[in-house]
Amino acid sequence: MAYLLLPLVLASFLLLSSLSSVAGGGFDYGDALSKSLLFFEAQRSGKLPADQRVKWRGDSGLKDGFLQGVDLVGGYYDSGDHVKFGLPIAYSLTMLSWSLVEFEKEIAAANQLEYALDAIRWGTDYFIKAHRQPNLLWAQVGDGNTDHYCWERAEDMTTPRTAFKVDTENPGSDVAAETAAALAAASIAFRPYNSSYSQLLLLHAKQLFTFADTFRGKYDDSIPVVREFYRSSGYDDELLWAAAWLFEATDDQEYLKYVVENSGSLGGTEWTVKEFSWDNKYAGLQILLAKVLMQGGSESYTATLKQYQAKAEFFLCASLQKNNGYNVAMTPGGLLYFDEWNNMQYVSSSAFLMAVYADYLSPTNSYLNCPEGQVTPHQIFQFAQSQADYILGKNPKLMSYLVGYQGQYPINVHHRGASIQSKSVLPAVVGCIQGFEQWYDSKKGNPNVILGALVGGPDHQDQFVDQRSNYEQTEPAIAGNAPLVGLFAKLHSLSEGPGFLSGEKQNPTPSIPTGYVAKETKPNPPTIARSPSPVIVNPVEFFHSITNTWTSDKGVKYYRHKVTIINKSGKPITNLKLAIENLSGPLWGLSPTQEKNIYVLPDWLKVLNPNKQLIFVYVQGGLQAKVSVISYN
């Protein structure tokens, strides 16, 4: 019988050798990052811009909302169909913005900052359209039932584009609060680059939160057609989540007071969870408030914030398999397993939260205390990396579940546009039934590779069937992709630094996208200049960097400078007055005074709390300006 075992032994050896090769060779997280952002362009609805990179897509949904007398053109299709579902799309924008809030330097160092801002703005511009009155939000365009009767390109849509709203008579606290969270988080992301747009987003966020909190109700009670697709489990978590993001965006203690006073009644300090998703925000909320605790400055709320942190650490310990048996399930190949339907969206969100929390712990060399022992930030990063590596190919199938990454990936993605030839190749309309007969049932791979799409992924035994009809495993969604942006950016920055995941914190110098500071044209990839050691001036530190250069028509070389101010005093700072000498060009991000060369904090920022940062930029020829502290309280 020994000769019968030889092929099995050989096969096992080859599999282990392949896995070792993948692990040893490492992954290009920068490439994975750029592809994960590219997927958002494939999901765009509306009139596509001239710089659209996904060329097999065309304009679509150009009359969305017109039957209701409102312009709802734009936004995103959330997955493989063509309904614009408000709740998961808003969550995706929150997560995309959170990626920028936490890992802006890392995203910028990978030259993906402009694409990330573009991806956010494509969604936030749409939400502004959808929020035309303080107590009204258009929460959905299209009907999932009729949409699923047809298999057709977005450019050929024949299904009804009915729009659905929530208002005071038909409330939707979950979708309104999640949209508020998305806009608040986005306002932080845009603040250094477009302060007026940031303020507009914040205005809408505040109104939507007040609307969600005042007129309470589940959105699927007001919009019953959504129940079969994105049924809400409740709105308590979204209310707390939105308030937490508004506190992050404003430093207004009223929002922090809200999450503290409602921590019990809305479940923030009561619920222990093992997943984080478009429907359940508690884990993200708890980690965000743990950050508030670690930063200090909110001592009167310490007891409640510690309860939030305890719940956050329960989630993390369960994911890390160190929660005394009450853990998230794992596949034999080492993948966290939450659900048979699009499991990867839960994996990406969990791994993102691990990377974020490890980043919170790293500066003070703190530990995560689990029932089965302490976990270092380095170990948390390593586990998050293991999930990213599984997605990219370090798995029993040796398959990348990020479409277009490396050589082997799903080719029968459950996605209408990807599965039918582009209009640029096949201009004739592909009818509703024709789409099923000619394209959906085709055994050939998709004619359009939907680069960067994270598919649903394998089952609990690491098995994956690459069939278009197997939508539980082969359909992508932007809710799964959004957390990958921050995760891949962090891993890319660590891989670029000395000692990958050695525990040493890396500080790549970011680039500032031209389109968000001086003009709207896209620049060539900016030149990254490493900043010198920070000049420490009590009570703040200044980090200077040159993030782009160009030469004018007259031969004058200009530099774009970025200065990050970090409060290292351990106390809140008010009335910070700065002197900026040798400044010869325009400056954004600070407010000028009547005194020459003297600047103060911008109007929207009254207090710079401990460990908080403020960024300002200026453009000029020659050397950097000299920045110093004149006075502060």
Side-chain angles (χ1 to χ4, degrees), residues 128 183-184 186-188 190-191 194-206 249-250 602-605:
I128 290 172
L183 295 174
S187 76
I188 305 173
F190 274 99
R191 187 173 293 158
N194 191 330
S195 60
S196 60
Y197 187 66
S198 172
Q199 286 296 304
L200 178 63
L201 295 175
L202 197 54
L203 172 64
H204 283 276
K206 291 177 178 179
T250 64
D603 293 338
W604 51 263
L605 183 65

Side-chain angles (χ1 to χ4, degrees), residues 267-315:
T269 54
E270 302 299 316
W271 280 96
T272 51
V273 297
K274 294 195 295 180
E275 74 170 52
F276 176 52
S277 69
W278 62 266
D279 183 45
N280 191 328
K281 315 299 165 29
Y282 282 119
L285 162 74
Q286 290 155 354
I287 283 175
L288 195 60
L289 292 175
K291 173 187 177 182
V292 175
L293 176 67
M294 294 180 198
Q295 287 178 332
S298 301
E299 283 71 19
S300 58
Y301 300 128
T302 295
T304 303
L305 291 175
K306 282 185 176 180
Q307 294 179 51
Y308 274 110
Q309 183 182 37
K311 300 300 183 184
E313 296 196 339
F314 175 95
F315 166 84

Side-chain angles (χ1 to χ4, degrees), residues 32 212 292 406 460 537 586:
V292 175
Q406 301 208 67
H460 66 290
V537 181

Side-chain angles (χ1 to χ4, degrees), residues 411-412 439 441-447 468:
I411 62 172
N412 295 292
W439 300 101
D441 293 331
S442 172
K443 303 305 179 185
K444 297 180 180 179
N446 289 350
R468 205 168 289 114

Side-chain angles (χ1 to χ4, degrees), residues 125-178:
D125 281 352
Y126 171 76
F127 284 140
I128 290 172
K129 287 184 176 183
H131 181 228
R132 303 175 65 83
Q133 301 172 27
N135 295 332
L136 182 149
L137 176 67
W138 292 94
Q140 181 174 321
V141 178
D143 172 6
N145 290 306
T146 58
D147 182 89
H148 287 190
Y149 291 150
C150 289
W151 192 263
E152 55 191 358
R153 299 172 296 196
E155 296 82 2
D156 292 336
M157 271 193 293
T158 58
T159 52
R161 301 298 290 169
T162 308
F164 303 88
K165 65 182 178 180
V166 293
D167 54 25
T168 58
E169 298 297 321
N170 302 282
S173 298
D174 28 30
V175 69
E178 183 59 61

